[in-house]
């Protein structure tokens, strides 16, 4: 049973509630209202902290009754759902009409959004019967990035290559970067802990010239409290040297969750681009999602507590 707790961490409490509502609708059908959520949060007020992490830092928080707090939280969560619909448009498989949410289809219809939703929940609740989300999610990120650039799942390359240098050279070949000069590629002692899962190259068809546009990404399914640390793992100066480039690459963090705006701004302060569910979902087509149905079925088999 998927119960409401801190599985997504303290920066994604609203995201978890919204995800559980969406999962419930995919499983059971019907509709879900803001008033229904407010009643549920009020009834379960002793078992779940519905205050956003950054709000906890407010030195003078408003004094609300339990009922007012539940109503406020429900309004904020439905506003988050509204953001999903506004950003994704036709790629959002639900319809929010004022204070009412309905699903377009059931659990057997997989798309980019519902697959990322299921991957997020499968990892958070350690569901069985599916490929480990930590190895499957990088595959999805690579499929989405492939629509924009040449891409390499560098984690797979590291696992299959004889050593880090061999993995790096193989990745360079796939990315169309050619073989680097021995003197330009500096592989230091910490290279095996290079903090990169995805490498990509936006080609301008002049790949033999210096100053190429490279992306280096860290991928995680972990809790929101770890995202800032994970975002900082790919070091731009290190990867500039590893790739034999004169320009530092763009670094990014990819997560299957919806990163709430207040946390997104905080992560962007670290000059790291963020690929979350709202950015990845439109770039995962039907063919990209065909192998993801077991994740949705795992959610259905587990069931959802929120009702």
């Amino acid at each position: 049973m998927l119960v409401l707790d801190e599985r997504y961490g303290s920066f994604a409490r609203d995201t978890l509630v919204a995800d559980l509502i969406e999962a419930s609708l995919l499983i059971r059908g019907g509709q879900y209202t803001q008033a229904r959520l407010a009643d549920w949060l009020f009834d379960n007020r002793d078992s779940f902290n519905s205050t956003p992490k950054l709000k906890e830092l407010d030195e003078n928080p408003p004094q609300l009754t339990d009922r007012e707090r539940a109503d406020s939280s429900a309004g904020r969560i439905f506003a988050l759902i509204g953001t999903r619909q506004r950003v994704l448009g036709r790629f959002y498989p639900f319809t929010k009409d004022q204070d009412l949410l309905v699903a377009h289809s059931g659990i057997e219809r997989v798309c980019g959004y519902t697959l990322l939703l299921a991957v997020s929940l499968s990892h958070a609740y350690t569901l069985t019967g599916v490929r480990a989300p930590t190895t499957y999610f990088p595959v999805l990120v690579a499929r989405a990035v492939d629509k924009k650039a040449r891409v390499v799942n560098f984690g797979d390359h590291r696992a299959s290559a004889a050593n880090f240098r061999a993995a790096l050279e193989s990745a360079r070949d796939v990315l169309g970067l050619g073989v680097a000069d021995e003197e330009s590629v500096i592989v230091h002692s910490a290279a095996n802990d290079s903090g990169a899962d995805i490498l990509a190259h936006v080609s301008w068809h002049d790949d033999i010239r210096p100053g190429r546009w490279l992306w280096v990404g860290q991928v995680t399914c972990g809790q929101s409290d770890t995202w800032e640390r994970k975002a900082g793992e790919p070091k731009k100066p290190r990867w500039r040297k590893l790739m034999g480039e004169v320009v530092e690459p763009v670094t990014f963090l990819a997560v299957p969750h919806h990163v709430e705006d207040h946390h997104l701004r905080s992560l962007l302060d670290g000059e790291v681009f963020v690929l979350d569910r709202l950015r990845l979902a439109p770039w995962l087509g039907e063919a990209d999602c065909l192998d993801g149905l077991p994740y949705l079925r795992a959610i259905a088999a587990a069931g959802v507590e929120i009702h």
Side-chain angles (χ1 to χ4, degrees):
M1 179 68 70
L2 310 189
V3 299
L4 185 56
D5 53 22
E6 292 273 318
R7 297 296 175 105
Y8 280 5
S10 57
F11 288 102
R13 291 168 179 156
D14 288 355
T15 291
L16 177 59
V17 179
D19 283 4
L20 291 177
I21 291 171
E22 291 173 349
S24 176
L25 287 174
L26 290 173
I27 295 169
R28 303 186 182 108
Q31 60 188 31
Y32 205 95
T33 65
Q34 182 175 318
R36 181 176 168 187
L37 174 61
D39 289 342
W40 194 92
L41 291 172
F42 178 74
D43 292 341
N44 292 272
R45 59 190 179 278
D46 294 331
S47 59
F48 178 69
N49 182 359
S50 61
T51 304
K53 177 69 172 180
L54 297 186
K55 295 289 187 182
E56 293 177 345
L57 305 179
D58 191 345
E59 295 181 356
N60 298 294
Q63 299 301 310
L64 302 176
T65 65
D66 289 340
R67 181 73 253 183
E68 290 171 334
R69 187 174 295 107
D71 290 342
S72 174
S73 296
R76 191 179 60 248
I77 291 162
F78 260 70
L80 181 75
I81 292 171
T83 297
R84 297 177 175 185
Q85 178 171 263
R86 186 170 63 255
V87 170
L88 289 169
R90 64 187 178 88
F91 296 105
Y92 186 56
F94 303 86
T95 294
K96 177 182 177 293
D97 185 4
Q98 296 183 341
D99 298 337
L100 177 72
L101 185 69
V102 296
H104 296 170
S105 59
I107 202 73
E108 291 292 315
R109 180 71 180 273
V110 62
C111 66
Y113 184 89
T114 57
L115 178 52
L116 293 169
L117 167 69
V119 167
S120 301
L121 291 171
S122 294
H123 181 268
Y125 291 91
T126 321
L127 299 187
T128 59
V130 293
R131 178 180 176 183
T134 51
T135 61
Y136 181 62
F137 179 53
V139 173
L140 295 180
V141 175
R143 289 173 183 173
V145 173
D146 186 57
K147 309 298 194 304
K148 298 280 192 179
R150 299 172 183 171
V151 65
V152 165
N153 183 339
F154 193 59
D156 283 352
H157 273 64
R158 287 204 310 267
S160 60
N163 52 51
F164 184 85
R165 181 181 287 276
L168 190 63
E169 290 304 324
S170 173
R172 288 180 58 87
D173 183 58
V174 174
L175 296 176
L177 299 178
V179 178
D181 296 334
E182 285 292 323
E183 294 181 358
S184 66
V185 179
I186 302 174
V187 181
H188 48 74
S189 60
N192 287 319
D193 187 25
S194 57
D197 298 307
I198 300 291
L199 303 179
H201 172 212
V202 182
S203 175
W204 294 93
H205 302 290
D206 63 345
D207 300 339
I208 63 172
R209 303 172 68 202
R212 289 164 292 198
W213 192 355
L214 306 180
W215 299 353
V216 178
Q218 172 64 236
V219 176
T220 183
C221 297
Q223 288 191 332
S224 56
D225 301 81
T226 70
W227 294 348
E228 183 174 359
R229 174 179 58 80
K230 298 293 285 186
E233 288 187 5
K235 305 299 183 184
K236 294 179 183 181
R238 176 184 300 175
W239 274 99
R240 180 183 66 80
K241 295 177 181 178
L242 287 172
M243 301 304 284
E245 269 298 334
V246 296
V247 178
E248 290 184 350
V250 174
T251 55
F252 68 86
L253 173 72
V255 298
H257 313 76
H258 171 189
V259 181
E260 298 171 26
D261 283 354
H262 61 87
H263 196 196
L264 178 61
R265 294 189 187 96
S266 176
L267 292 171
L268 293 175
D269 284 342
E271 298 183 351
V272 175
F273 192 71
V274 177
L275 292 178
D276 70 344
R277 187 186 307 161
L278 273 60
R279 286 178 169 152
L280 292 168
W283 299 99
L284 291 171
E286 183 177 354
D288 298 316
C289 301
L290 291 177
D291 57 357
L293 186 56
Y295 291 91
L296 278 84
R297 290 174 173 168
I299 298 299
V304 178
E305 179 190 49
I306 198 166
H307 54 76

